[in-house]
């Protein structure tokens, strides 16, 4: 290990010699300066020192001035002052100005070495601490980067899982083939037109995509029944909002989309189910979804009626504004040209659009 280097400053050569010989015998490397000016020149030369040991009373630039300049240029450099008894007030002033300690003349070898060792130990600990903190900051930055990457991967894999889930439901519920994808695409288009934030749109898209996931728990005999459902079957079917919510709410990523799933059959005027929520009580995503869902239902073939045009769907949605739908969202929806919906439908049906990325 390299010897620690101490700069010894005193205008009396004899004292410098005594101090240096005592320090050398204790395995320190020393360098002498005969004045504050001389000491500063050595410090500025780039030569490295671990500690400055300086006399207080010197003809050319005294110890206090040297201390000030040293602290300005090398704030972490420990400075130990050496003083005669009658300078004690000045020595205390030096401590207040940032000196590590002071040493009263005359002193024995051990009285010199003790404060020098303490000052060097303090400096070493401070340096270790600084290095540790710098490393820690770098480590935290690196981990944060890794975590963000992992999170992005996780989100991607989540979206793939959602796609598989939606696909599974499409297979089970033959009538709604591609329905989930189209409704999701329409919902995103309206949310974008409304100027919602990317993160919010992502939540709403997931909710829209999974809106009917609760139908996985509805018996096929009801889901695919060719004729009209009886009262009990309708009641069973209506459970799908709550069932879907229950499937998703425990998954942290899907806790917010789950709220949209829960509320996707609510109506603006409070006549929907399962909770009969009204107006703003219905999550915004569910209010947007509701328009998208109706748009797709009207423009798709059903067993009991053929598909109608997007123009007809717009008209019907306009008529239900304020009753089934949020009038403000209907207003924005009506500003959007019909060809947007036609293009989206064509793209989704041609399987061009996967789970929408933003
Ligand atoms: Fe539904």
């Amino acid at each position: 290990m390299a010897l620690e280097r101490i700069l010894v400053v005193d205008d009396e050569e004899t004292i410098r010699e005594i101090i240096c010989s005592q320090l050398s015998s204790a395995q320190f490397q020393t360098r002498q300066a005969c004045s504050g000016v001389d000491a500063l020149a050595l410090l500025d030369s780039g030569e490295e020192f671990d500690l400055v040991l300086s006399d207080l009373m010197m003809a050319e630039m005294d110890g206090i001035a040297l201390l000030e300049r040293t602290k300005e240029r090398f704030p972490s450099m420990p400075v130990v002052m050496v003083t005669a008894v009658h300078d004690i007030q000045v020595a205390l002033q030096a401590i207040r100005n940032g000196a590590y300690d002071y040493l009263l003349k005359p002193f024995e070898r051990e009285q010199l070495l003790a404060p020098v060792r303490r000052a060097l130990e303090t400096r070493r600990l401070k340096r270790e601490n600084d290095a540790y903190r710098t490393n820690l900051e770098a480590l935290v930055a690196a981990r944060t980067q890794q975590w963000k990457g992992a999170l992005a991967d996780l989100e991607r894999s989540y979206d793939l899982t959602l796609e598989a889930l939606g696909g599974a439901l499409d297979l089970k519920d033959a009538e709604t083939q591609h329905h989930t994808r189209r409704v999701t695409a329409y919902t995103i288009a309206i949310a974008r037109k409304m100027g919602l934030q990317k993160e919010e749109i992502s939540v709403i898209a997931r909710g829209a995509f999974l809106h009917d996931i609760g139908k996985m728990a509805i018996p096929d005999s009801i889901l695919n029944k060719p004729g009209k459902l009886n009262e009990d079957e309708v009641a069973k079917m209506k459970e799908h909002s709550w069932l879907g919510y229950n499937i998703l709410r425990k998954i942290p990523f899907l806790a917010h989309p789950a709220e949209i799933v829960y509320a996707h059959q609510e109506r603006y005027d409070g006549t929907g189910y399962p909770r009969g929520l009204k107006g703003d009580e219905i999550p915004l995503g569910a209010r947007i979804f509701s328009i998208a869902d109706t748009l797709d239902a009207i423009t798709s073939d059903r067993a009991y009626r053929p598909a109608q045009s997007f123009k007809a769907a717009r008209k019907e949605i306009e008529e239900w504004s304020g009753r089934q739908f949020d009038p403000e969202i209907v207003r924005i929806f009506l500003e959007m040209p019909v060809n947007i919906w036609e293009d989206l439908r064509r793209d989704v049906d041609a399987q061009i659009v996967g789970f929408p990325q933003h």
Side-chain angles (χ1 to χ4, degrees), residues 59-265:
E60 198 186 350
M61 190 190 290
D62 67 6
I64 292 287
L66 174 62
L67 172 67
E68 269 175 29
R69 307 273 166 82
T70 307
K71 285 284 152 192
E72 272 166 29
R73 292 174 214 196
F74 310 96
S76 62
M77 174 76 71
V79 179
V80 173
M81 308 306 300
V82 181
T83 180
V85 177
H86 65 269
D87 294 332
I88 192 79
Q89 285 306 320
V90 186
L92 289 172
Q93 181 61 41
I95 297 280
R96 280 195 284 274
N97 287 2
Y100 179 78
D101 207 346
Y102 67 88
L103 193 59
L104 289 175
K105 285 194 259 189
F107 46 80
E108 300 291 322
R109 183 173 176 271
E110 278 314 307
Q111 287 170 312
L112 165 70
L113 293 179
V116 163
R117 285 186 175 131
R118 274 201 308 272
L120 288 170
E121 177 66 4
T122 304
R123 175 183 163 88
R124 199 178 54 74
L125 287 175
K126 195 178 173 308
R127 283 190 157 185
E128 273 179 16
N129 198 28
D130 287 350
Y132 175 73
R133 210 174 48 222
T134 310
N135 283 343
L136 197 65
E137 278 163 11
L139 196 68
V140 168
R143 287 282 149 83
T144 306
Q145 210 45 46
Q146 281 174 5
W147 177 76
K148 279 186 181 162
L151 198 66
D153 285 351
L154 191 62
E155 284 213 35
R156 269 193 293 280
S157 65
Y158 254 107
D159 286 344
L160 289 174
T161 311
L162 299 194
E163 204 161 344
L165 270 173
L169 185 63
D170 276 352
L171 292 177
K172 185 173 156 75
D173 186 359
E175 202 181 57
T176 62
Q177 192 116 52
H178 293 311
H179 164 70
T180 44
R181 285 170 195 270
R182 287 195 303 263
V183 171
T184 308
Y186 298 163
T187 303
I188 289 171
I190 300 170
R192 281 191 183 144
K193 175 78 178 167
M194 291 171 71
L196 299 186
Q197 296 293 309
K198 200 175 134 193
E199 291 72 22
E200 200 175 357
I201 294 177
S202 182
V203 167
I204 292 172
R206 287 174 180 171
F209 196 71
L210 295 168
H211 70 277
D212 270 347
I213 201 71
K215 284 189 179 171
M216 299 283 271
I218 303 290
D220 286 356
S221 57
I222 298 177
L223 212 53
N224 292 327
K225 186 178 172 181
K228 221 169 172 277
L229 301 181
N230 66 35
E231 212 173 295
D232 286 348
E233 289 164 339
V234 168
K236 187 82 199 151
M237 190 69 150
K238 282 186 170 180
E239 285 176 13
H240 80 277
S241 296
W242 182 81
L243 289 168
Y245 169 70
N246 244 4
I247 292 169
L248 305 178
R249 74 186 167 94
K250 293 173 212 117
I251 305 169
F253 247 89
L254 299 176
H256 291 306
E259 296 294 334
I260 296 169
V261 172
Y262 197 8
H264 82 274
Q265 296 285 2

Side-chain angles (χ1 to χ4, degrees), residues 224-330:
N224 292 327
K225 186 178 172 181
K228 221 169 172 277
L229 301 181
N230 66 35
E231 212 173 295
D232 286 348
E233 289 164 339
V234 168
K236 187 82 199 151
M237 190 69 150
K238 282 186 170 180
E239 285 176 13
H240 80 277
S241 296
W242 182 81
L243 289 168
Y245 169 70
N246 244 4
I247 292 169
L248 305 178
R249 74 186 167 94
K250 293 173 212 117
I251 305 169
F253 247 89
L254 299 176
H256 291 306
E259 296 294 334
I260 296 169
V261 172
Y262 197 8
H264 82 274
Q265 296 285 2
E266 301 286 359
R267 289 167 167 243
Y268 195 73
D269 60 6
T271 60
Y273 67 86
R275 288 171 290 174
L277 299 180
K278 230 183 205 173
D280 290 354
E281 290 169 0
I282 306 165
L284 179 66
R287 278 179 271 145
I288 299 172
F289 162 83
S290 176
I291 295 174
D293 192 38
T294 302
L295 182 67
D296 191 58
I298 296 173
T299 53
S300 299
D301 282 327
R302 286 287 187 266
Y304 46 90
R305 54 141 186 80
Q308 298 176 61
S309 71
F310 279 97
K311 267 195 182 133
R314 270 167 62 110
K315 203 161 168 289
E316 187 159 340
I317 288 166
E318 191 174 8
E319 273 171 26
W320 284 88
S321 176
R323 288 185 285 166
Q324 187 171 350
F325 310 116
D326 181 332
E328 182 50 28
I329 305 175
V330 171

